[in-house]
Amino acid sequence: MKSVNEDSGVPAGHLEVAPVGEGVEIRLGTPAGELSLICTPERAREVATALRLAADEADSVRTADPVTVRADELRRGDVRDGDRAMTVDGVRVDGNTVHVTWKSGAGRGWNQLYDADARITLRRRGR
């Protein structure tokens, strides 16, 4: 993955991630040089989770006002409004009952049942 400074157009460097033996190597290249980090798979997952949470927060700053939808209108990728990021991982409508599978920013998942007409406030709509 390569990135560019949006103001100047100058390449900002690169990011490479690859398995190295029993670890994971993260290499960052910048105009000033390269940095290499090797960590355990568990730590790599923690870094990925932290990046996802930060990305979710950055996305929420760009989002205008929260939107409220009926439970039967939820779709995969919707993010519930609240203190912690909760993303819809799956939705199944069974008559007047909606089965929603949520996933936390830390990767934990759980199911909740809602009446089809229950109102759910979303921070961001899924794509």
Side-chain angles (χ1 to χ4, degrees):
M1 173 182 1
K2 295 187 185 254
S3 59
V4 174
N5 181 308
E6 293 179 3
D7 294 328
S8 68
V10 175
H14 65 275
L15 168 67
E16 297 176 24
V17 179
V20 177
E22 293 183 12
V24 176
E25 180 180 29
I26 304 167
R27 286 194 307 168
L28 304 165
T30 68
E34 188 170 277
L35 172 66
S36 176
L37 306 167
I38 297 178
C39 56
T40 66
E42 294 79 19
R43 179 62 68 168
R45 287 183 190 95
E46 289 175 10
V47 169
T49 298
L51 287 169
R52 181 167 184 210
L53 287 171
D56 284 348
E57 288 302 315
D59 279 345
S60 71
V61 169
R62 290 189 303 177
T63 304
D65 296 323
V67 61
T68 300
V69 300
R70 289 172 43 111
D72 60 357
E73 295 173 345
L74 287 170
R75 59 185 183 224
R76 184 181 174 98
D78 286 346
V79 178
R80 188 162 188 171
D81 192 32
D83 295 339
R84 298 179 188 206
M86 297 178 2
T87 304
V88 174
D89 195 43
V91 179
R92 183 172 57 87
V93 179
D94 184 15
N96 196 34
T97 303
V98 180
H99 303 258
V100 180
T101 303
W102 295 98
K103 188 169 271 187
S104 72
R108 294 183 191 92
W110 65 95
N111 297 310
Q112 283 186 287
L113 302 177
Y114 297 93
D115 288 333
D117 61 353
R119 308 299 285 172
I120 310 291
T121 303
L122 302 175
R123 177 186 309 172
R124 186 178 74 246
R125 289 293 288 182
R127 292 175 176 84

